[in-house]
Amino acid sequence: SLAYGLVFGVLAGNVGLSAAEATIMSGLVFTGAGQVAAMDLWTMPPPLLTIWLTTALVSLRYLVLGAALRPWLGQLRPIQAYGTLAVLIDQGWAMGLLEYRAGRRDAGYLLGGGLAMLVAWVLGTAGGFVLGNLVPDPAAWSLDFAATAIFVALIAGIWRGRGDAIPWLVAAAVAVATHTLVAGPWYVPLGAIAGILAGQIMEQ
């Protein structure tokens, strides 16, 4: 979360946001990929409707991630469950799933982890804004790959055997096909939904 926040801070500075604007955005929005997508579309004046729709599409994956946590969070009061989901991100979801599979059912793990990542994300954004003066192009240093690398490492811990490969392959195939055939970030939610459906079919 800290590394990805650095990347967002650099991008935010490059498109003209102030340090305060970038940091407040990270604190209020807290959706890494969605915020990065917004920076890719940012112009002056910003195309607000296009940015909103793109961010919404990229963030649809949280519906799928949240649904996967229902056996855990469904035991809590609504204010506790939705409060926890408000700080849910990809890395927190993966770590929470590992915790659940290990038989540990303290939902405070999800909340505490999410809050810690939120703080790291905001601090990373502020640091990235400063770093942007030194490294204006994150891709030149492969900093934009940091979040992907972290998530891939977490996914390796979720792997339960060859049976897991089919939903992942279905999700990848649908995402690649959608990215090739359809403009925009539709490949993110459609790939996630396809993987979930494939997993449900296999479980049944």
Side-chain angles (χ1 to χ4, degrees):
S1 195
L2 180 64
Y4 204 13
L6 289 171
V7 174
F8 173 72
V10 173
L11 296 175
N14 287 347
V15 301
L17 268 64
S18 69
E21 289 170 336
T23 304
I24 292 172
M25 181 182 182
S26 284
L28 295 178
V29 180
F30 191 41
T31 172
Q35 289 179 232
V36 171
M39 293 302 98
D40 288 339
L41 298 169
W42 199 275
T43 58
M44 292 303 293
L48 295 180
L49 181 59
T50 301
I51 290 174
W52 182 84
L53 289 174
T54 301
T55 303
L57 284 175
V58 171
S59 300
L60 278 176
R61 71 189 188 280
Y62 289 118
L63 293 176
V64 179
L65 299 183
L69 294 173
R70 180 172 176 77
W72 193 355
L73 299 182
Q75 311 301 318
L76 304 178
R77 291 183 298 167
I79 189 172
Q80 294 174 314
Y82 292 118
T84 300
L85 290 172
V87 292
L88 179 69
I89 60 172
D90 303 291
Q91 295 91 335
W93 172 83
M95 292 172 64
L97 191 60
L98 288 173
E99 187 79 357
Y100 187 83
R101 286 181 177 173
R104 295 182 284 270
R105 300 293 191 264
D106 184 359
Y109 178 89
L110 278 176
L111 178 60
L115 290 173
M117 290 181 189
L118 172 59
V119 172
W121 173 247
V122 172
L123 291 176
T125 298
F129 192 91
V130 176
L131 183 64
N133 296 323
L134 304 174
V135 186
D137 182 11
W141 296 78
S142 299
L143 294 177
D144 55 333
F145 188 68
T148 303
I150 293 170
F151 192 67
V152 168
L154 290 171
I155 286 293
I158 298 175
W159 179 265
R160 294 179 299 181
R162 289 181 295 178
D164 281 348
I166 294 178
W168 293 10
L169 289 173
V170 169
V174 171
V176 170
T178 304
H179 185 270
T180 303
L181 300 174
V182 182
W186 286 98
Y187 64 95
V188 176
L190 292 182
I193 292 170
I196 289 292
L197 291 176
Q200 289 294 323
I201 292 172
M202 289 193 63
E203 288 289 340
Q204 293 175 3

